[in-house]
Short mmCIF file of all heavy atoms in Angstrom, two decimals:
data_model
loop_
_atom_site.label_atom_id
_atom_site.label_comp_id
_atom_site.label_asym_id
_atom_site.label_seq_id
_atom_site.Cartn_x
_atom_site.Cartn_y
_atom_site.Cartn_z
N GLU A 136 -48.23 13.73 48.46
CA GLU A 136 -47.78 14.87 47.68
C GLU A 136 -46.47 15.41 48.17
O GLU A 136 -45.65 15.85 47.37
CB GLU A 136 -48.86 15.98 47.71
CG GLU A 136 -50.13 15.61 47.00
CD GLU A 136 -49.88 15.34 45.49
OE1 GLU A 136 -49.03 15.98 44.92
OE2 GLU A 136 -50.65 14.47 44.98
N ILE A 141 -35.84 12.31 55.57
CA ILE A 141 -35.46 11.50 56.72
C ILE A 141 -34.33 12.17 57.44
O ILE A 141 -33.47 12.83 56.79
CB ILE A 141 -34.99 10.06 56.23
CG1 ILE A 141 -34.88 9.11 57.44
CG2 ILE A 141 -33.74 10.09 55.38
CD1 ILE A 141 -34.79 7.64 57.01
N ILE A 263 -7.74 24.14 40.02
CA ILE A 263 -8.04 22.87 40.72
C ILE A 263 -6.83 22.47 41.65
O ILE A 263 -7.03 22.00 42.74
CB ILE A 263 -8.37 21.77 39.69
CG1 ILE A 263 -9.69 22.11 39.06
CG2 ILE A 263 -8.44 20.42 40.39
CD1 ILE A 263 -10.03 21.25 37.89
N PHE A 365 -26.23 -7.51 52.55
CA PHE A 365 -25.27 -7.94 53.53
C PHE A 365 -25.05 -6.88 54.64
O PHE A 365 -25.06 -7.22 55.82
CB PHE A 365 -23.96 -8.25 52.88
CG PHE A 365 -22.78 -8.33 53.84
CD1 PHE A 365 -22.63 -9.38 54.69
CD2 PHE A 365 -21.82 -7.29 53.90
CE1 PHE A 365 -21.53 -9.51 55.49
CE2 PHE A 365 -20.80 -7.38 54.72
CZ PHE A 365 -20.61 -8.46 55.60
N SER A 369 -26.12 -7.37 58.54
CA SER A 369 -24.98 -7.35 59.50
C SER A 369 -25.19 -6.32 60.55
O SER A 369 -24.98 -6.57 61.73
CB SER A 369 -23.66 -7.08 58.76
OG SER A 369 -23.37 -8.08 57.83
N ARG A 450 -33.18 21.87 35.32
CA ARG A 450 -33.34 20.45 34.94
C ARG A 450 -32.89 19.52 36.07
O ARG A 450 -33.45 18.48 36.28
CB ARG A 450 -32.50 20.19 33.66
CG ARG A 450 -33.00 20.95 32.46
CD ARG A 450 -32.42 20.45 31.15
NE ARG A 450 -32.88 21.16 29.99
CZ ARG A 450 -32.64 20.87 28.79
NH1 ARG A 450 -31.95 19.77 28.48
NH2 ARG A 450 -33.12 21.62 27.75
N SER A 473 -46.67 4.87 52.80
CA SER A 473 -45.48 5.68 53.11
C SER A 473 -44.21 4.93 52.79
O SER A 473 -44.25 3.66 52.54
CB SER A 473 -45.44 6.11 54.54
OG SER A 473 -45.15 4.98 55.42
N VAL A 522 -59.72 -27.79 42.53
CA VAL A 522 -58.48 -27.79 43.31
C VAL A 522 -58.94 -28.14 44.74
O VAL A 522 -59.72 -27.45 45.36
CB VAL A 522 -57.82 -26.33 43.37
CG1 VAL A 522 -56.65 -26.35 44.30
CG2 VAL A 522 -57.43 -25.92 41.95
#
Side-chain angles (χ1 to χ4, degrees):
E136 294 298 327
I141 191 168
I263 292 170
F365 164 73
S369 297
R450 295 194 182 188
S473 71
V522 179

